Amino acid sequence: MHFMPIYFSHIALWLMGVSVRVHNKTLLDSEKQYILVGNHMSYLDALISAVASNNYKKYIGKAEILKYPVLGYLLAKLYVPVQRDEKSSRKWSMEAMFKYLKDGASMVIFPEGTCNTTPDHLKEFKDGAFSLSLQLNIPIAVCTILGAAELMPRKLLSIRPGKIDVYWTTILDPNDYNMEQINEMKKDAQKAMLPILKERYPDGYGEINSV
């Protein structure tokens, strides 16, 4: 059953005309547990990251996306939803994440928090994913997603067919850091993403995903 969301994500992307090429997938051990982090520019990112690794995984994400037809149904199988403005919902989501992580699931967290609609390659990273990694001693696997915003920009719900590239670049070992070094850990994750982003978008995102 753990692989059903991955299977359905493959089917959904295929029906949308979206193909995903995963680079350096052998960096990950499908039997191990990770906190999977990546850049975030599109609602497609959840489906993309579902097919980018074979690990059993869950997501933390905005509850409102689950209201969207088809996409919301699929993501309901993957998501730990959170209402960002409600303290009780955030508390429940954190408790749910700890439960899934302690049960052996990997967790997909986009550390920018929300889709990047700025012209910059990355927004500031939040502490959450890195704090969980350090508290529970779970490695962080870093990926970079290219092309999602061109197919489904944040400001639109329509999807264009096309190709997505996902690059797994590094694994961050929590034993190499402590809580006082959480900013260094975040910077190391950003450093793993930025060369790929700058090669694809040398002048930044421009108007690709602006709102």
Side-chain angles (χ1 to χ4, degrees), residues 59-66 75-76 78-84 89-90 92-94 96 100:
Y59 298 74
I60 181 75
K62 295 196 297 183
E64 53 263 39
I65 195 174
L66 302 183
L75 293 181
L78 300 167
Y79 256 46
V80 176
V82 58
Q83 295 285 358
R84 296 185 189 278
S89 177
R90 293 197 303 272
W92 176 88
S93 297
M94 184 62 69
Y100 282 118

Side-chain angles (χ1 to χ4, degrees), residues 145-200:
I145 301 170
L146 300 180
E150 289 90 328
L151 303 188
M152 187 180 181
R154 171 64 178 82
K155 58 188 173 183
L156 300 175
L157 290 181
S158 59
I159 301 171
R160 295 196 298 266
K163 295 180 179 179
I164 302 289
D165 286 286
V166 179
Y167 292 86
W168 292 105
T169 49
T170 193
I171 306 291
L172 300 180
D173 186 341
N175 293 307
D176 294 335
Y177 307 86
N178 57 48
M179 289 301 292
E180 286 70 37
Q181 296 172 307
I182 196 168
N183 287 332
E184 181 181 341
M185 198 179 196
K186 291 191 293 184
K187 287 178 182 178
D188 286 344
Q190 291 173 325
K191 288 176 184 176
M193 298 179 195
L194 281 171
I196 296 169
L197 291 170
K198 288 180 178 179
E199 182 176 357
R200 176 69 171 266

Side-chain angles (χ1 to χ4, degrees), residues 33-34 56-58 99-107 138:
Q33 183 182 28
Y34 301 97
Y56 166 47
K57 48 190 172 292
K58 286 283 185 176
K99 176 185 180 298
Y100 282 118
L101 287 166
K102 288 181 178 178
D103 286 346
S106 292
M107 184 67 64
I138 299 172

Side-chain angles (χ1 to χ4, degrees), residues 80-129:
V80 176
V82 58
Q83 295 285 358
R84 296 185 189 278
D85 296 331
E86 296 182 12
K87 186 175 181 180
S88 61
S89 177
R90 293 197 303 272
K91 181 177 183 293
W92 176 88
S93 297
M94 184 62 69
E95 291 172 351
M97 277 197 295
F98 267 97
K99 176 185 180 298
Y100 282 118
L101 287 166
K102 288 181 178 178
D103 286 346
S106 292
M107 184 67 64
V108 177
I109 302 176
F110 297 108
E112 291 171 282
T114 57
C115 288
N116 184 2
T117 57
T118 76
D120 299 325
H121 291 107
L122 292 169
K123 292 165 54 180
E124 182 179 352
F125 281 7
K126 299 184 182 301
D127 289 351

